[in-house]
Each structure stands twice: as C-alpha cells, then as structure tokens.
Amino acid sequence: MSQKSPLSQEPRIVGFLCNWCSYAGADMAGTSRICYPASIRIIRVPCSGRVDPILVAKAFAMGADGVLISGCHPGDCHYVQGNYFTRRRFAVLRSLLDFLGIEKERLRLEWVSATEGQRFAQVVADFRDQLLQLRGAG
Amino acid sequence: MEELVRQKARELLSTRQLECVIGWERASDGLTSRPFFAYTPEEADRLIYDQTCVNSLAKFLVDKRNKNTAIVAKPCDTRAINLLLLEKQIKRERVYIIGVTCAGMREVSFGYMGEKLQAKCLLCPQHNPVVYDFLVGEPVAEEAVRSYEDLAEIDARTHQEREAFWQEHFNRCIRCYACRQACPGCYCQQCFVDQLDPQWVGIRIAPQENHQWNTVRAFHLMGRCIECGECQRVCPVKIPMMLLNRHLLREVESKFSFQPGLSPETPPPLATFKPDEDLGI
C-alpha cells in the first residue's frame, strides 16, 4: 500500500519538521532565497519526537513517495532528549517498512539546525533525486 | 504435571485470600482446551495442563489487576507477565504464578489432534518459565541461539514482491481486531483505531486503512512481543503477522541487544537511548 506518484510527476515528499530547528532551517532557506524542490510538503511538529509512526504509515498509505523526518542535531533538542528517542524509533520503523516492501530510502531522518538553510535545501534536493532514482529502478 | 497443578491450585484456593486460579480446562469437544477460572477448591479439579493448552492467559491478569489471583503460566505466558510487570499493568504481589515447563503445544484443529507442534513452538527459545512462585515440571535445557529462519523467505524477496505479498494478506483483513484482543501486550483502554477524534485510521475496511492498522499494530509491539502467537492463531483470515512481530524482535535484538519479557526491570528499548549510539541510519 504505497503507490508511488506517476512517472510524469514530481515525487511527493511529506516533511515533518521540528518547530525549533528544522522548520526554522526551512524558513532560513526561504528568507535566504535558496531554491529547493517544491516536492516537499512541510508539516510543522513540536519536536521530531512527536512524529508518531502512525503519521508515517498514513503518509505512505496515502501515496507519499518519501517521508522526511527532520529535527535538531543530537544534543541540541529543545526538549533535551526528544530526538534521541526519534532516532531509535526511526531506525526500527524504517526496517519494518522495508520488510513490508517500502524501500529504506523512502524514509529519511536528517538533522537540520535553524541556521542551516543551505543544508535544508540540499537535503530536500538529495532526497528528491534519490526518489527519482528509486522510481527509475523500480 | 496436571495433578500437581490441581493440587497446588486447591491448596492456594483453600489457604489463601485468592479471587481465583486462572488456568485451562478441557473444552466441550473433549480434545482442546479453553481458559478456565477456578474460584473454589472443588473447581480446581477441572484444571488441566497438556499439549493443548495453547491460549495465553496473561491478559486476564490485567482485568483482575485489583484482585489477588493465581495463574498457571507457560514460559511464553511468564514472559507476558514480565512485560505487564515492566509496564506497570499488574502488581507482582497480587499474582501467584504457578509456572509450568513447556515442550511446545500441538496443532489442534476441529476434532483432530495433530502430531506436529505449532509453528510458533518450533521456533520458541523458551521452555522454562522466567518468573514463577511455584514450578511444575523439570527444568529443560534452553537453546542458546535464537533462530529467525522463518524470515529468510521474506528477506530474499525484492521490495515489489514483499509489497505484493503483504498487500495480498492485508487486503483480506476484516479489521475484527481479534489480534489486538488476544494479545497480552495490547491492553490500552482506548486503542488508536477506536479513536474518532482525532481519527488516526479511517474505519473503512479498505487496503489503505488495513495497511495502516497492520503496520502500526506491529510497530506498537516492537520490542514487546513475547511470541505467544495468539494474534496469528485467532486471526480469522490467517494473516501471518508473527512474521512482522518476529522481524521487529530480530531488529531489537540486533540493534539494542534486547529481548522482551525476560526481566521485569530492563527498560524497553524505545523508552531509553544512548547519546552516542550508532544505529546504522
């Protein structure tokens, strides 16, 4: 249950960005006029630790090509340890989805801080390229 | 063994302040077993223990959490008890555990007792109870290494094949939630699929929603499944969900060196972390 978008279309990426670092990082990319693919649909969450596996499962079930979870760098979490829990949960969730037939590469975890606008743009561009590649292969 | 279980149950019911002894009795077909609650010493004579006692009884302890009870527990049931203790669902002092050793349960279908052991029992690493107050049966040697050979078949498939495989199974799902009802780890008062606001998963029985339910059900048992196999046994459409559970067990074992239900104290893998760990992300 993870129908990908048609070949003619841009891949659809759902991005869960934490309010304190990555969302501000995306904002920074915007205010710095850095271009990044429009493939990503951003959803702001209080912390990357808020990203319940249900949300990821739902995103894939509803036709997302990729899901990006992005939060503060380890050690920089606004809630001190939220992203450490995310990291563990992510590792297992990705392997479960892989076992279910959703390629590992389609779920991504990245640490982007509030100042890393450039990096955010890079992450999204890379992810999009990877999804296009995967689509070509599959 | 059976006689010893009865004897102990009788003794407990006549000497202690106990609500009941939870065990198995012979079902009306004269062959299989069913859960049984013995409230009086006389009723204790109806208890049985043999290779048909496949039901997991641990979940009943959650319903009886405010009562003093005794339970006849197979090794997998004792692991479930450890899980419930760890997650603070039951109190140790309220439960008297009559641990029974287990050589595996046999395949039983309507009116016929198979020679073969249940598939889950063939893969089971645990033959002795991990927690008990009174042990029935001689302790047996345990296999040191766990085998995940049943997963190899899925591992060998491509992603497209895996997706097709699971899609075929999940499409059959009628979302009766029997898997959830039977699982000793699924004790939430309100399950996410029952919530209407927010509605996490639609109530429609369709591929999308079925996929979400089965994925998230498996994830919720990540590092918690104690392999009693009840979910798969009660599934009316025979979805092989133990494959998912066991895949996650393999993951937590390799990533976090954790096996659920072996201790009531070790924190569960997702409730803890190490700042510098490398999880191969």
Side-chain angles (χ1 to χ4, degrees), chain A residues 1-2 58 87-88 95 98, chain B residues 159 162 167 200 269 275 277:
Chain A
M1 198 59 241
S2 55
K58 192 157 191 161
R87 190 168 59 182
R88 281 203 161 193
S95 127
D98 193 67
Chain B
H159 286 96
R162 287 184 203 176
Q167 198 63 64
W200 301 103
E277 67 197 339

Side-chain angles (χ1 to χ4, degrees), chain B residues 59 173 175-186 213-214 217-218 221 228-236 239 241 245:
Chain B
K59 196 170 189 179
C173 179
R175 303 259 294 288
C176 62
Y177 304 131
C179 44
R180 175 188 75 184
Q181 297 309 112
C183 175
C186 278
W213 157 247
N214 281 282
R217 187 207 64 81
L221 287 159
C228 61
E230 287 291 90
C231 49
Q232 194 165 324
R233 184 177 68 85
V234 299
C235 182
I239 296 173
M241 42 198 126
N245 295 345

Side-chain angles (χ1 to χ4, degrees), chain A residues 1-2 4 92-106, chain B residues 150-171 211 215 239-240 243-244 247 250-251:
Chain A
M1 198 59 241
S2 55
K4 295 168 201 168
V92 186
L93 177 62
R94 195 164 71 147
S95 127
L96 172 64
L97 293 177
D98 193 67
F99 197 71
L100 285 165
I102 297 173
E103 294 89 341
K104 270 194 165 78
E105 294 78 16
R106 290 174 65 189
Chain B
D150 53 325
L151 304 179
E153 193 204 336
I154 308 282
D155 290 335
R157 292 171 196 239
T158 66
H159 286 96
Q160 278 83 354
E161 287 167 347
R162 287 184 203 176
E163 195 175 334
F165 172 83
W166 288 112
Q167 198 63 64
E168 192 193 314
H169 284 299
F170 293 164
N171 279 354
H211 194 276
T215 311
I239 296 173
L243 286 176
L244 291 175
H247 169 70
R250 180 172 63 174
E251 283 299 305

